[in-house]
Amino acid sequence: MITILLNLLLSVKFIYAIVPGKSVHSLSGKKRRKPRSGNDMKYKAATIKDIAQALGLSTSTVSRALRDSHEISAATKQLVLDHAAQLNYHPNPIALSLKEKKSRSIGVMVSEIANSFFSQTINGIESVANEKGYTVIISQSHESFEKEVRTLQYLASRSIDGLLISVSSATKDLAPLKALHQYGFPIVFFDRIVEEIATHQVRVDNFQGAYNATTHLLQQGYRRIGCITNSAHLSITRERVAGYVAALDKAGIRLPASLIKYCFHGGMLQEEVSDAVQELLQEKKRPDAIFATSDKLTTGCMRALKKAKLDVPKDIGLTGFSNSDLIELLHAPITVVRQPAFEMGQVATELLLQLIESKRPVKDFETRVLQTSLITPP
C-alpha cells in the first residue's frame, strides 16, 4: 500500500505546499503569487498624465482642454472630456489650491450639530457655499474652548479660505481668533458674536425676541417668571436676559436674581438643566412660568418638568427659543421664539465669501440683525 501511494505522489509534476500567512511555492522552488483580492487593491485617482498617454497628447494640451481653453479645438476638447469621464477623472483639489492660492473650502464651527438651530444654519451655509463652488468643513466645539482652539489650528493648517464661527460657552480668551484675524484671515461671526474683533457679524434681535416671549407669558397671566439661560458671558445670554428683564420692568414686576439660572453647557447636559429647574421649583415662592433662552434649554426644561410630574401649561407655564419642529407634535405644544436659522447661514456665508474674494482689504464691516418670530400653537 505504501509503495502505491509513493508512486501516485511521484507522478504529480507540481505539488503545492500552502502555509498560512506565507507565499505559495511549487516543488520546483519557484514562488507563485496569490491572486490579489479587491481589498488588496489601492485606489489610484486618474491624472492628466493618464489621459494624455491614452490619447497620445501632451499633458499641457489635456490641461488646456479641461480648462476649456480657446487654444484647443472643439474636437480635441470633446475627445479629452469623453476620456476623462471614462476614467472618472476629477481635478486634484490640492493641486488647484496651490495654483490658485485658494482651497475653495470654508470652515464652520458650532457648539453642537445636533442642535436644531445650528443644523438649520449649516443647511443655509451649504446652500450658498455649494452654489459658489466652495466645500464646507463642519466642526463642533461641544462648548469646549480647548477643542475650539485645536480645531482652529487644524482648519488653518489645512489652508481653508475663511471661517464661520459661533463661539463656545467657554470662549473667554480671544487670542487665538485675534491672531488669525490680525494675519488677514477672513472670519465672520454668527449667532454668538464677538464685539472685540472687527469683522462681519450676523445675529438675530435677541433682545426683542426675549422681550416678546416674556410679554406673551405676562399676557397669559403669569407674574413670577423664572429664566433659564446659557453661559453668562455669551452675547446671546446678555441680550436675551436683558429683553426678559425689560418686559418685566414694563409690567412693573421686580423679581430676585435667584430666578435667573445660568447653564454653562447651554442644555447639552440634561443634568445641568434639571438642576436649574429644580432650584427654581425649590424657591420659597415658586415661579409660575419659565422662560428658556435656547433650543436645548427649552426641550431640557420640558423633560425636567415632565420628570417632576408638572403639566405644561396647567401646572406651570413655559416658553423659549426653539427651532425644533418636534415642539409642534407635543401633547401640549408651547409658544416659542423661532430664529431665521437658514437665512442666518446664507447671509453669513455671503459676507464671508465677500471677504475671501475681495481683491482689496475690507475695512468696512456689517452687523446684520435678523428678526425672530413668536410662534403660537393653534
Side-chain angles (χ1 to χ4, degrees), residues 174-187:
L174 300 176
L177 284 167
K178 285 181 176 179
L180 283 174
H181 183 257
Q182 287 170 357
Y183 277 101
F185 186 74
I187 300 174

Side-chain angles (χ1 to χ4, degrees), residues 337-348:
V337 180
R338 182 151 295 181
Q339 303 179 73
F342 187 86
E343 182 185 355
M344 180 181 286
Q346 288 182 312
V347 173

